Amino acid sequence: MSAESDLAARLAAVADAERRGELLTAVDLAEQGLEEHPGATELRYRAVLSLARAGSTEQAAKRFEEYGLREVGTEDVLALEARIAKDVALAAPGDRRRVLALRSAALYAKAFDATGGYYPAINAATLMLVGGNAEASRTLARTALERLHESGEAGYFAAATEAEAQLLLGDARAAERSLERAAKLHGGDYGAVATTRRQLRLVCEHAGTDPAILAVLAGPRVLHYCGHRISRDGSGPFRAEDEPAVAASIRAELDRLPPAYAYGSLASGADILTAEAVLDRGAELHLVLPFAEDEFVAASVADSGGDWVPRYERCRAAATRVTYATEDAFLDDDVLYRYGSELAMGLALLRARFLDAEALQLAVWDGQPARGGAGTAVDVAAWAESGRPAAVVPLPGGASPTAPAAAPIGAAQGRVVRAMLFADVRGFSKLGDAQLPRFNAHVLGALAEALGHHDEHVCFRNTWGDGVYVVMTDAVAAAACALDLQAAMDALDLAGLGLPEHLALRLGAHVGPVFELRDPILGVESFIGSQVSRTARIEPVTPAGTVYVTEPFAAALELAQAPFSCDYVGHMPAAKDFGRLRMYRLRGPGS
Protein backbone atom coordinates (compact mmCIF):
# COMPACT_ATOMS: atom_id res chain seq x y z
CA MET A 1 0.00 0.00 0.00
CA SER A 2 1.35 3.44 -0.93
CA ALA A 3 1.88 6.12 1.69
CA GLU A 4 -1.02 8.11 0.23
CA SER A 5 -3.37 5.12 0.35
CA ASP A 6 -2.31 4.26 3.91
CA LEU A 7 -2.92 7.83 5.05
CA ALA A 8 -6.33 7.86 3.38
CA ALA A 9 -7.24 4.56 5.05
CA ARG A 10 -6.19 5.86 8.46
CA LEU A 11 -8.18 9.05 8.03
CA ALA A 12 -11.22 7.01 7.02
CA ALA A 13 -10.86 4.85 10.15
CA VAL A 14 -10.62 7.95 12.35
CA ALA A 15 -13.67 9.49 10.69
CA ASP A 16 -15.63 6.27 11.17
CA ALA A 17 -14.76 6.19 14.89
CA GLU A 18 -15.83 9.84 15.23
CA ARG A 19 -19.15 9.16 13.54
CA ARG A 20 -19.87 6.32 15.95
CA GLY A 21 -18.99 8.47 18.93
CA GLU A 22 -15.88 6.36 19.67
CA LEU A 23 -13.91 9.49 20.48
CA LEU A 24 -11.18 7.76 22.47
CA THR A 25 -10.67 5.25 19.66
CA ALA A 26 -10.52 8.14 17.19
CA VAL A 27 -7.73 9.76 19.24
CA ASP A 28 -5.82 6.49 19.42
CA LEU A 29 -6.19 5.82 15.68
CA ALA A 30 -5.08 9.35 14.75
CA GLU A 31 -2.02 9.14 16.98
CA GLN A 32 -1.13 5.70 15.64
CA GLY A 33 -1.38 7.17 12.15
CA LEU A 34 0.96 10.00 13.11
CA GLU A 35 3.64 7.45 13.99
CA GLU A 36 3.69 6.53 10.29
CA HIS A 37 2.80 9.97 8.90
CA PRO A 38 4.24 12.52 11.39
CA GLY A 39 3.62 15.49 9.10
CA ALA A 40 -0.03 14.74 8.33
CA THR A 41 -1.91 17.91 9.31
CA GLU A 42 -5.32 16.28 8.93
CA LEU A 43 -4.40 13.50 11.40
CA ARG A 44 -3.12 16.10 13.86
CA TYR A 45 -6.33 18.06 13.48
CA ARG A 46 -8.55 15.00 13.97
CA ALA A 47 -6.63 13.89 17.06
CA VAL A 48 -7.04 17.30 18.71
CA LEU A 49 -10.67 17.63 17.67
CA SER A 50 -11.54 14.22 19.13
CA LEU A 51 -9.81 15.12 22.39
CA ALA A 52 -11.81 18.34 22.55
CA ARG A 53 -15.07 16.53 21.80
CA ALA A 54 -14.26 14.01 24.55
CA GLY A 55 -13.95 16.85 27.06
CA SER A 56 -10.15 16.62 27.41
CA THR A 57 -9.73 20.37 26.97
CA GLU A 58 -6.26 20.77 28.46
CA GLN A 59 -4.88 17.85 26.46
CA ALA A 60 -6.46 19.24 23.30
CA ALA A 61 -4.83 22.62 23.93
CA LYS A 62 -1.47 20.98 24.65
CA ARG A 63 -1.53 18.87 21.47
CA PHE A 64 -2.71 21.85 19.40
CA GLU A 65 0.52 23.61 20.32
CA GLU A 66 2.74 20.51 20.08
CA TYR A 67 1.44 19.72 16.60
CA GLY A 68 2.09 23.26 15.33
CA LEU A 69 -1.53 23.73 14.26
CA ARG A 70 -1.38 27.44 15.06
CA GLU A 71 0.59 27.84 11.83
CA VAL A 72 -2.19 26.26 9.75
CA GLY A 73 -4.65 28.81 8.41
CA THR A 74 -7.57 26.67 7.28
CA GLU A 75 -11.09 27.37 8.53
CA ASP A 76 -11.28 24.04 10.38
CA VAL A 77 -8.03 24.61 12.28
CA LEU A 78 -8.80 28.24 13.09
CA ALA A 79 -12.20 27.16 14.39
CA LEU A 80 -10.58 24.36 16.42
CA GLU A 81 -8.40 26.86 18.29
CA ALA A 82 -11.52 28.91 19.02
CA ARG A 83 -13.41 25.77 20.07
CA ILE A 84 -10.73 24.90 22.64
CA ALA A 85 -10.93 28.45 23.97
CA LYS A 86 -14.73 28.04 24.15
CA ASP A 87 -14.41 24.86 26.22
CA VAL A 88 -12.06 26.66 28.61
CA ALA A 89 -14.59 29.47 28.91
CA LEU A 90 -17.55 27.20 29.58
CA ALA A 91 -15.65 25.47 32.39
CA ALA A 92 -15.00 28.79 34.13
CA PRO A 93 -17.34 30.37 36.70
CA GLY A 94 -19.11 33.74 36.81
CA ASP A 95 -17.49 36.80 35.32
CA ARG A 96 -14.45 34.88 34.18
CA ARG A 97 -16.72 32.72 32.02
CA ARG A 98 -18.09 35.79 30.29
CA VAL A 99 -14.62 37.27 29.71
CA LEU A 100 -13.27 34.02 28.28
CA ALA A 101 -16.40 33.56 26.15
CA LEU A 102 -15.74 36.91 24.51
CA ARG A 103 -12.13 35.85 23.89
CA SER A 104 -13.37 32.70 22.16
CA ALA A 105 -15.89 34.76 20.18
CA ALA A 106 -13.03 36.96 18.98
CA LEU A 107 -11.12 33.89 17.78
CA TYR A 108 -14.17 32.64 15.90
CA ALA A 109 -14.64 36.12 14.43
CA LYS A 110 -11.01 36.04 13.29
CA ALA A 111 -11.67 32.74 11.55
CA PHE A 112 -14.77 34.24 9.93
CA ASP A 113 -12.82 37.28 8.70
CA ALA A 114 -10.21 34.97 7.20
CA THR A 115 -12.59 32.52 5.53
CA GLY A 116 -16.06 34.04 5.35
CA GLY A 117 -17.58 30.73 6.44
CA TYR A 118 -20.88 30.45 8.25
CA TYR A 119 -19.51 27.97 10.78
CA PRO A 120 -17.16 30.40 12.60
CA ALA A 121 -19.80 33.13 12.31
CA ILE A 122 -22.50 31.14 14.11
CA ASN A 123 -20.08 30.09 16.84
CA ALA A 124 -18.98 33.67 17.34
CA ALA A 125 -22.66 34.61 17.65
CA THR A 126 -23.30 32.05 20.40
CA LEU A 127 -20.17 33.00 22.34
CA MET A 128 -21.14 36.67 22.15
CA LEU A 129 -24.44 35.75 23.82
CA VAL A 130 -22.62 33.81 26.55
CA GLY A 131 -20.31 36.80 26.98
CA GLY A 132 -23.29 39.11 27.51
CA ASN A 133 -23.32 40.98 24.18
CA ALA A 134 -26.78 40.06 22.88
CA GLU A 135 -26.83 42.74 20.16
CA ALA A 136 -23.56 41.53 18.62
CA SER A 137 -24.86 37.98 18.89
CA ARG A 138 -27.97 38.76 16.86
CA THR A 139 -25.96 40.61 14.23
CA LEU A 140 -23.60 37.68 13.79
CA ALA A 141 -26.50 35.21 13.74
CA ARG A 142 -28.10 37.10 10.85
CA THR A 143 -24.73 37.19 9.05
CA ALA A 144 -24.33 33.42 9.54
CA LEU A 145 -27.79 32.82 8.06
CA GLU A 146 -26.96 34.99 5.05
CA ARG A 147 -23.69 33.16 4.40
CA LEU A 148 -25.42 29.81 4.86
CA HIS A 149 -28.11 30.62 2.31
CA GLU A 150 -25.50 31.99 -0.10
CA SER A 151 -23.54 28.75 0.16
CA GLY A 152 -26.48 26.66 -1.05
CA GLU A 153 -25.55 23.88 1.37
CA ALA A 154 -28.43 21.69 2.54
CA GLY A 155 -26.84 18.94 4.64
CA TYR A 156 -26.80 18.23 8.36
CA PHE A 157 -24.43 21.00 9.42
CA ALA A 158 -26.37 23.54 7.39
CA ALA A 159 -29.64 22.55 9.09
CA ALA A 160 -28.01 22.60 12.54
CA THR A 161 -26.47 26.01 11.89
CA GLU A 162 -29.83 27.35 10.72
CA ALA A 163 -31.48 26.08 13.94
CA GLU A 164 -28.78 27.72 16.07
CA ALA A 165 -29.15 31.06 14.31
CA GLN A 166 -32.94 30.94 14.63
CA LEU A 167 -32.68 30.21 18.36
CA LEU A 168 -30.30 33.15 18.77
CA LEU A 169 -32.80 35.34 16.93
CA GLY A 170 -35.69 34.14 19.12
CA ASP A 171 -37.57 32.21 16.41
CA ALA A 172 -38.22 28.91 18.22
CA ARG A 173 -40.78 27.64 15.69
CA ALA A 174 -38.40 28.02 12.78
CA ALA A 175 -35.63 26.43 14.85
CA GLU A 176 -37.84 23.43 15.56
CA ARG A 177 -38.44 22.89 11.83
CA SER A 178 -34.69 23.13 11.17
CA LEU A 179 -33.97 20.62 13.94
CA GLU A 180 -36.49 18.19 12.46
CA ARG A 181 -34.65 18.46 9.17
CA ALA A 182 -31.26 18.00 10.86
CA ALA A 183 -32.51 14.84 12.58
CA LYS A 184 -33.14 13.30 9.15
CA LEU A 185 -29.76 14.32 7.75
CA HIS A 186 -27.09 13.35 10.29
CA GLY A 187 -26.66 9.90 8.73
CA GLY A 188 -25.55 8.25 11.94
CA ASP A 189 -22.80 10.79 12.70
CA TYR A 190 -23.46 10.63 16.43
CA GLY A 191 -20.32 12.59 17.28
CA ALA A 192 -21.68 15.54 15.32
CA VAL A 193 -25.11 15.19 16.93
CA ALA A 194 -23.57 15.28 20.41
CA THR A 195 -21.63 18.44 19.59
CA THR A 196 -24.77 20.09 18.19
CA ARG A 197 -26.90 19.21 21.21
CA ARG A 198 -24.37 20.65 23.65
CA GLN A 199 -24.06 23.83 21.63
CA LEU A 200 -27.81 24.31 21.28
CA ARG A 201 -28.41 23.55 24.95
CA LEU A 202 -25.99 26.39 25.70
CA VAL A 203 -28.00 28.71 23.44
CA CYS A 204 -31.26 27.67 25.10
CA GLU A 205 -29.77 28.33 28.54
CA HIS A 206 -28.74 31.88 27.67
CA ALA A 207 -31.69 32.72 25.43
CA GLY A 208 -34.31 31.47 27.90
CA THR A 209 -35.65 28.80 25.53
CA ASP A 210 -37.00 25.49 26.80
CA PRO A 211 -34.30 22.89 25.96
CA ALA A 212 -37.06 20.34 25.33
CA ILE A 213 -37.00 21.69 21.79
CA LEU A 214 -33.84 19.60 21.28
CA ALA A 215 -35.62 16.29 21.91
CA VAL A 216 -36.09 15.76 18.17
CA LEU A 217 -32.29 15.60 17.85
CA ALA A 218 -31.75 13.09 20.64
CA GLY A 219 -28.52 11.16 20.69
CA PRO A 220 -28.41 7.36 20.34
CA ARG A 221 -29.35 5.30 23.39
CA VAL A 222 -26.58 3.44 25.24
CA LEU A 223 -27.58 0.19 26.93
CA HIS A 224 -26.19 -1.72 29.86
CA TYR A 225 -27.65 -5.20 29.98
CA CYS A 226 -27.60 -7.93 32.61
CA GLY A 227 -29.72 -10.85 33.77
CA HIS A 228 -29.97 -14.39 35.03
CA ARG A 229 -28.21 -17.35 33.49
CA ILE A 230 -30.22 -20.17 31.99
CA SER A 231 -30.82 -23.05 34.40
CA ARG A 232 -30.20 -26.35 32.65
CA ASP A 233 -31.81 -28.45 35.39
CA GLY A 234 -34.58 -26.00 36.27
CA SER A 235 -33.18 -25.19 39.72
CA GLY A 236 -32.55 -21.52 38.97
CA PRO A 237 -34.92 -18.63 38.27
CA PHE A 238 -34.44 -18.78 34.47
CA ARG A 239 -35.69 -22.19 33.31
CA ALA A 240 -34.70 -23.54 29.91
CA GLU A 241 -38.33 -23.89 28.82
CA ASP A 242 -38.84 -20.15 29.36
CA GLU A 243 -36.16 -19.14 26.85
CA PRO A 244 -38.52 -18.40 23.91
CA ALA A 245 -40.78 -16.17 26.03
CA VAL A 246 -37.84 -14.30 27.58
CA ALA A 247 -36.17 -13.84 24.18
CA ALA A 248 -39.40 -12.39 22.79
CA SER A 249 -39.68 -9.99 25.75
CA ILE A 250 -36.09 -8.82 25.31
CA ARG A 251 -36.70 -8.13 21.65
CA ALA A 252 -39.90 -6.26 22.44
CA GLU A 253 -38.04 -4.01 24.89
CA LEU A 254 -35.29 -3.32 22.35
CA ASP A 255 -37.93 -2.44 19.75
CA ARG A 256 -39.51 -0.04 22.25
CA LEU A 257 -36.20 1.48 23.39
CA PRO A 258 -33.70 0.76 20.60
CA PRO A 259 -30.04 1.25 21.53
CA ALA A 260 -27.13 2.07 19.25
CA TYR A 261 -24.56 0.66 21.69
CA ALA A 262 -24.79 -2.10 24.28
CA TYR A 263 -22.39 -2.99 27.10
CA GLY A 264 -22.45 -6.18 29.14
CA SER A 265 -21.09 -9.69 29.55
CA LEU A 266 -21.82 -12.86 27.58
CA ALA A 267 -22.95 -15.61 29.93
CA SER A 268 -25.51 -18.20 28.83
CA GLY A 269 -29.09 -17.06 29.19
CA ALA A 270 -30.02 -13.38 29.43
CA ASP A 271 -26.63 -12.03 28.32
CA ILE A 272 -26.41 -14.01 25.09
CA LEU A 273 -30.12 -13.51 24.31
CA THR A 274 -29.70 -9.74 24.67
CA ALA A 275 -26.44 -9.70 22.71
CA GLU A 276 -28.06 -11.61 19.84
CA ALA A 277 -31.00 -9.21 19.75
CA VAL A 278 -28.66 -6.19 19.85
CA LEU A 279 -26.61 -7.50 16.95
CA ASP A 280 -29.74 -8.38 14.94
CA ARG A 281 -30.73 -4.71 15.17
CA GLY A 282 -27.39 -3.50 13.84
CA ALA A 283 -26.27 -1.97 17.14
CA GLU A 284 -22.70 -2.16 18.44
CA LEU A 285 -21.92 -4.80 21.05
CA HIS A 286 -19.22 -4.00 23.62
CA LEU A 287 -18.35 -6.98 25.76
CA VAL A 288 -16.83 -6.83 29.23
CA LEU A 289 -15.64 -10.25 30.40
CA PRO A 290 -14.90 -10.52 34.13
CA PHE A 291 -11.82 -12.75 33.95
CA ALA A 292 -9.75 -15.03 31.68
CA GLU A 293 -11.88 -16.12 28.73
CA ASP A 294 -11.33 -19.87 28.84
CA GLU A 295 -12.38 -19.97 32.48
CA PHE A 296 -15.33 -17.67 31.82
CA VAL A 297 -16.64 -19.90 29.06
CA ALA A 298 -16.25 -22.97 31.28
CA ALA A 299 -17.88 -21.37 34.32
CA SER A 300 -20.60 -19.24 32.70
CA VAL A 301 -21.44 -20.69 29.29
CA ALA A 302 -20.47 -24.32 28.66
CA ASP A 303 -22.09 -25.79 31.77
CA SER A 304 -25.53 -24.78 30.45
CA GLY A 305 -25.15 -27.36 27.68
CA GLY A 306 -27.02 -27.08 24.40
CA ASP A 307 -25.70 -24.69 21.77
CA TRP A 308 -24.71 -21.90 24.17
CA VAL A 309 -20.98 -22.10 23.39
CA PRO A 310 -21.44 -21.70 19.59
CA ARG A 311 -23.85 -18.83 20.25
CA TYR A 312 -21.26 -17.25 22.56
CA GLU A 313 -18.61 -17.57 19.86
CA ARG A 314 -20.83 -15.94 17.23
CA CYS A 315 -21.62 -12.97 19.46
CA ARG A 316 -18.01 -12.55 20.52
CA ALA A 317 -16.85 -12.58 16.90
CA ALA A 318 -19.40 -9.89 16.02
CA ALA A 319 -18.60 -7.63 19.00
CA THR A 320 -17.06 -4.23 18.31
CA ARG A 321 -14.82 -4.42 21.36
CA VAL A 322 -13.98 -7.00 24.02
CA THR A 323 -12.65 -5.70 27.34
CA TYR A 324 -11.38 -7.87 30.18
CA ALA A 325 -12.13 -6.54 33.64
CA THR A 326 -9.18 -8.70 34.68
CA GLU A 327 -7.26 -11.42 32.89
CA ASP A 328 -6.66 -13.23 36.14
CA ALA A 329 -7.80 -16.67 37.23
CA PHE A 330 -11.40 -17.01 38.44
CA LEU A 331 -10.68 -19.04 41.61
CA ASP A 332 -14.46 -19.31 42.19
CA ASP A 333 -14.40 -15.66 43.29
CA ASP A 334 -17.74 -13.96 42.63
CA VAL A 335 -16.29 -10.52 43.27
CA LEU A 336 -14.86 -10.67 39.73
CA TYR A 337 -18.38 -10.90 38.32
CA ARG A 338 -19.44 -7.82 40.27
CA TYR A 339 -16.31 -5.91 39.28
CA GLY A 340 -16.90 -6.79 35.63
CA SER A 341 -20.55 -5.71 35.78
CA GLU A 342 -19.72 -2.38 37.38
CA LEU A 343 -16.98 -1.78 34.82
CA ALA A 344 -19.50 -2.43 32.02
CA MET A 345 -21.93 0.03 33.63
CA GLY A 346 -19.25 2.69 33.95
CA LEU A 347 -18.07 2.26 30.36
CA ALA A 348 -21.66 2.55 29.12
CA LEU A 349 -22.07 5.77 31.10
CA LEU A 350 -18.79 7.20 29.81
CA ARG A 351 -19.96 6.48 26.27
CA ALA A 352 -23.34 8.10 26.94
CA ARG A 353 -21.61 11.22 28.27
CA PHE A 354 -19.41 11.50 25.19
CA LEU A 355 -22.53 11.13 23.03
CA ASP A 356 -24.75 13.40 25.13
CA ALA A 357 -27.17 10.46 25.06
CA GLU A 358 -29.49 8.53 27.36
CA ALA A 359 -28.11 5.52 29.23
CA LEU A 360 -30.55 2.71 30.05
CA GLN A 361 -30.25 -0.61 31.83
CA LEU A 362 -32.11 -3.69 30.58
CA ALA A 363 -32.26 -6.44 33.19
CA VAL A 364 -33.76 -9.92 32.92
CA TRP A 365 -34.60 -10.31 36.59
CA ASP A 366 -36.83 -12.48 38.76
CA GLY A 367 -37.48 -9.63 41.20
CA GLN A 368 -35.83 -11.47 44.07
CA PRO A 369 -33.17 -9.92 46.34
CA ALA A 370 -29.50 -10.72 46.00
CA ARG A 371 -28.37 -14.18 46.99
CA GLY A 372 -24.77 -13.11 47.49
CA GLY A 373 -22.26 -10.40 46.63
CA ALA A 374 -22.82 -10.56 42.87
CA GLY A 375 -25.66 -11.21 40.46
CA THR A 376 -28.56 -9.55 38.71
CA ALA A 377 -30.15 -8.04 41.82
CA VAL A 378 -26.82 -6.45 42.76
CA ASP A 379 -26.45 -5.02 39.24
CA VAL A 380 -29.99 -3.65 39.31
CA ALA A 381 -29.32 -2.04 42.70
CA ALA A 382 -26.05 -0.46 41.55
CA TRP A 383 -27.75 1.07 38.52
CA ALA A 384 -30.78 2.20 40.52
CA GLU A 385 -28.54 4.10 42.95
CA SER A 386 -27.51 6.34 40.07
CA GLY A 387 -31.13 7.29 39.38
CA ARG A 388 -30.83 6.44 35.70
CA PRO A 389 -33.70 4.79 33.79
CA ALA A 390 -34.06 1.03 33.64
CA ALA A 391 -36.32 -1.57 32.05
CA VAL A 392 -36.92 -5.01 33.54
CA VAL A 393 -37.84 -8.17 31.65
CA PRO A 394 -39.56 -10.34 34.28
CA LEU A 395 -39.12 -14.08 34.36
CA PRO A 396 -42.22 -16.29 34.29
CA GLY A 397 -43.20 -17.01 37.86
CA GLY A 398 -40.89 -14.36 39.29
CA ALA A 399 -41.71 -11.60 41.75
CA SER A 400 -42.84 -8.13 40.74
CA PRO A 401 -40.14 -6.54 38.57
CA THR A 402 -40.55 -3.33 40.56
CA ALA A 403 -39.42 -5.02 43.79
CA PRO A 404 -36.36 -3.24 45.21
CA ALA A 405 -33.02 -4.96 44.86
CA ALA A 406 -31.42 -5.77 48.19
CA ALA A 407 -27.91 -4.75 49.05
CA PRO A 408 -25.26 -7.45 48.74
CA ILE A 409 -25.10 -9.83 51.67
CA GLY A 410 -22.31 -11.83 53.19
CA ALA A 411 -18.62 -11.09 53.59
CA ALA A 412 -16.17 -11.53 50.75
CA GLN A 413 -14.35 -14.86 50.86
CA GLY A 414 -11.64 -14.11 48.29
CA ARG A 415 -10.62 -10.89 46.58
CA VAL A 416 -12.06 -7.49 47.37
CA VAL A 417 -12.35 -4.47 45.08
CA ARG A 418 -10.19 -1.60 46.28
CA ALA A 419 -8.74 1.60 44.86
CA MET A 420 -4.96 1.93 44.85
CA LEU A 421 -2.62 4.90 44.69
CA PHE A 422 1.11 4.85 43.91
CA ALA A 423 3.13 8.06 44.17
CA ASP A 424 6.73 9.17 44.09
CA VAL A 425 8.59 12.46 43.92
CA ARG A 426 10.49 13.40 40.80
CA GLY A 427 14.00 14.51 41.66
CA PHE A 428 14.26 12.62 44.95
CA SER A 429 17.18 10.47 43.78
CA LYS A 430 19.34 13.59 43.31
CA LEU A 431 18.95 14.81 46.88
CA GLY A 432 22.04 14.83 49.06
CA ASP A 433 22.23 13.47 52.58
CA ALA A 434 21.92 16.95 54.06
CA GLN A 435 18.57 17.43 52.29
CA LEU A 436 17.00 14.08 53.17
CA PRO A 437 15.95 14.97 56.74
CA ARG A 438 14.25 18.13 55.41
CA PHE A 439 12.53 16.06 52.72
CA ASN A 440 11.33 13.59 55.32
CA ALA A 441 10.05 16.28 57.67
CA HIS A 442 8.44 18.65 55.20
CA VAL A 443 7.53 16.74 52.03
CA LEU A 444 6.59 13.39 53.53
CA GLY A 445 5.18 15.26 56.53
CA ALA A 446 2.84 17.29 54.29
CA LEU A 447 1.76 14.15 52.42
CA ALA A 448 1.13 12.34 55.70
CA GLU A 449 -1.02 15.22 56.95
CA ALA A 450 -3.07 15.23 53.74
CA LEU A 451 -3.45 11.47 53.92
CA GLY A 452 -4.61 11.74 57.51
CA HIS A 453 -7.70 13.66 56.40
CA HIS A 454 -8.83 10.46 54.64
CA ASP A 455 -8.06 7.97 57.41
CA GLU A 456 -11.58 6.53 57.45
CA HIS A 457 -11.12 5.31 53.87
CA VAL A 458 -7.50 4.18 54.10
CA CYS A 459 -7.17 0.39 54.25
CA PHE A 460 -3.38 0.22 54.02
CA ARG A 461 -0.42 2.57 53.58
CA ASN A 462 3.28 2.07 53.07
CA THR A 463 6.28 4.17 52.12
CA TRP A 464 9.89 3.68 51.08
CA GLY A 465 12.16 6.63 50.38
CA ASP A 466 9.96 8.89 48.27
CA GLY A 467 7.46 6.16 47.34
CA VAL A 468 3.95 6.08 48.74
CA TYR A 469 1.47 3.22 48.33
CA VAL A 470 -2.10 3.60 49.61
CA VAL A 471 -5.08 1.24 49.36
CA MET A 472 -8.49 2.84 49.82
CA THR A 473 -12.09 1.69 50.09
CA ASP A 474 -13.28 2.98 46.70
CA ALA A 475 -12.47 5.15 43.71
CA VAL A 476 -14.36 8.22 44.95
CA ALA A 477 -12.41 8.31 48.21
CA ALA A 478 -9.15 7.64 46.36
CA ALA A 479 -9.80 10.47 43.89
CA ALA A 480 -10.34 12.96 46.69
CA CYS A 481 -7.23 11.74 48.51
CA ALA A 482 -5.04 11.84 45.39
CA LEU A 483 -5.99 15.43 44.61
CA ASP A 484 -5.38 16.45 48.22
CA LEU A 485 -1.91 14.86 48.09
CA GLN A 486 -1.10 16.87 44.97
CA ALA A 487 -2.44 20.05 46.53
CA ALA A 488 -0.30 19.47 49.63
CA MET A 489 2.79 19.08 47.46
CA ASP A 490 1.95 22.15 45.38
CA ALA A 491 1.53 24.26 48.53
CA LEU A 492 5.10 23.67 49.73
CA ASP A 493 7.65 26.48 49.47
CA LEU A 494 10.44 24.14 48.45
CA ALA A 495 13.12 26.82 48.09
CA GLY A 496 12.22 28.23 51.48
CA LEU A 497 12.61 24.75 52.96
CA GLY A 498 16.07 24.34 51.45
CA LEU A 499 14.91 21.83 48.84
CA PRO A 500 15.17 21.91 45.02
CA GLU A 501 12.19 23.59 43.34
CA HIS A 502 12.02 20.88 40.68
CA LEU A 503 10.69 18.31 43.15
CA ALA A 504 7.19 17.28 42.05
CA LEU A 505 4.73 14.54 42.91
CA ARG A 506 3.49 12.10 40.30
CA LEU A 507 0.61 9.86 41.19
CA GLY A 508 -1.23 6.98 39.48
CA ALA A 509 -4.53 5.39 40.52
CA HIS A 510 -6.46 2.24 39.62
CA VAL A 511 -9.34 0.23 41.04
CA GLY A 512 -9.57 -3.54 40.90
CA PRO A 513 -9.88 -6.84 42.77
CA VAL A 514 -7.03 -7.67 45.16
CA PHE A 515 -6.30 -10.14 47.92
CA GLU A 516 -6.40 -8.86 51.49
CA LEU A 517 -3.83 -10.95 53.36
CA ARG A 518 -1.68 -10.63 56.43
CA ASP A 519 1.89 -9.63 55.58
CA PRO A 520 4.04 -12.00 57.64
CA ILE A 521 7.01 -9.62 57.59
CA LEU A 522 5.21 -6.37 58.45
CA GLY A 523 2.71 -8.14 60.67
CA VAL A 524 -0.24 -6.15 59.25
CA GLU A 525 -3.12 -6.72 56.85
CA SER A 526 -1.92 -5.90 53.35
CA PHE A 527 -3.13 -6.16 49.76
CA ILE A 528 -1.54 -8.05 46.88
CA GLY A 529 -2.43 -9.12 43.36
CA SER A 530 -1.90 -8.33 39.69
CA GLN A 531 -4.02 -5.20 39.98
CA VAL A 532 -1.54 -3.81 42.52
CA SER A 533 1.26 -4.41 40.03
CA ARG A 534 -0.77 -2.66 37.32
CA THR A 535 -1.15 0.44 39.52
CA ALA A 536 2.56 0.48 40.26
CA ARG A 537 3.30 0.55 36.51
CA ILE A 538 1.14 3.65 35.97
CA GLU A 539 2.90 6.06 38.30
CA PRO A 540 6.33 6.02 36.52
CA VAL A 541 4.76 7.26 33.25
CA THR A 542 2.60 9.92 34.92
CA PRO A 543 3.73 13.52 34.34
CA ALA A 544 4.90 15.23 37.50
CA GLY A 545 2.28 17.37 39.21
CA THR A 546 -0.67 15.33 37.91
CA VAL A 547 -2.86 12.36 38.81
CA TYR A 548 -3.35 9.77 36.09
CA VAL A 549 -6.03 7.09 36.43
CA THR A 550 -6.99 4.00 34.47
CA GLU A 551 -10.19 3.55 32.48
CA PRO A 552 -11.72 1.28 35.18
CA PHE A 553 -11.08 4.07 37.70
CA ALA A 554 -12.70 6.68 35.43
CA ALA A 555 -15.65 4.31 34.84
CA ALA A 556 -16.08 3.81 38.59
CA LEU A 557 -16.25 7.57 39.14
CA GLU A 558 -18.81 7.90 36.35
CA LEU A 559 -21.00 5.17 37.85
CA ALA A 560 -20.80 6.83 41.27
CA GLN A 561 -21.67 10.26 39.77
CA ALA A 562 -18.67 11.63 41.65
CA PRO A 563 -17.82 15.35 41.39
CA PHE A 564 -14.61 14.73 39.48
CA SER A 565 -13.72 14.83 35.80
CA CYS A 566 -11.38 12.56 33.90
CA ASP A 567 -9.70 13.93 30.75
CA TYR A 568 -8.57 11.30 28.27
CA VAL A 569 -4.82 11.52 27.64
CA GLY A 570 -4.30 8.55 25.35
CA HIS A 571 -3.40 4.89 25.02
CA MET A 572 -0.17 4.98 26.99
CA PRO A 573 2.53 2.35 27.52
CA ALA A 574 2.85 1.39 31.19
CA ALA A 575 6.26 0.96 32.77
CA LYS A 576 8.30 -2.27 32.53
CA ASP A 577 6.50 -3.54 29.40
CA PHE A 578 3.21 -3.94 31.27
CA GLY A 579 1.23 -3.18 28.12
CA ARG A 580 -0.70 -0.15 26.89
CA LEU A 581 -3.51 1.29 28.99
CA ARG A 582 -6.16 3.90 28.31
CA MET A 583 -5.29 6.67 30.74
CA TYR A 584 -7.12 9.73 32.02
CA ARG A 585 -6.02 12.79 33.94
CA LEU A 586 -8.03 13.29 37.12
CA ARG A 587 -9.44 16.72 37.90
CA GLY A 588 -11.32 18.03 40.89
CA PRO A 589 -14.63 19.93 40.93
CA GLY A 590 -14.41 23.19 39.03
CA SER A 591 -10.84 22.63 37.84
Side-chain angles (χ1 to χ4, degrees), residues 340-380:
S341 291
E342 292 187 351
L343 176 57
M345 292 182 216
L347 292 176
L349 294 172
L350 282 172
R351 185 65 174 276
R353 177 162 61 82
F354 294 153
L355 289 169
D356 193 45
E358 178 187 60
L360 171 80
Q361 183 183 71
L362 177 64
V364 177
W365 181 39
D366 66 351
Q368 295 296 320
R371 299 170 179 85
T376 305
V378 175
D379 296 344
V380 170

Side-chain angles (χ1 to χ4, degrees), residues 72 107 152 217 227 266 276 283 322 389 392 422 445 453 466 517 522 550 584:
V72 180
L107 288 171
L217 200 62
L266 202 55
E276 289 173 339
V322 180
V392 173
F422 270 90
H453 296 311
D466 65 326
L517 300 171
L522 296 177
T550 60
Y584 297 72

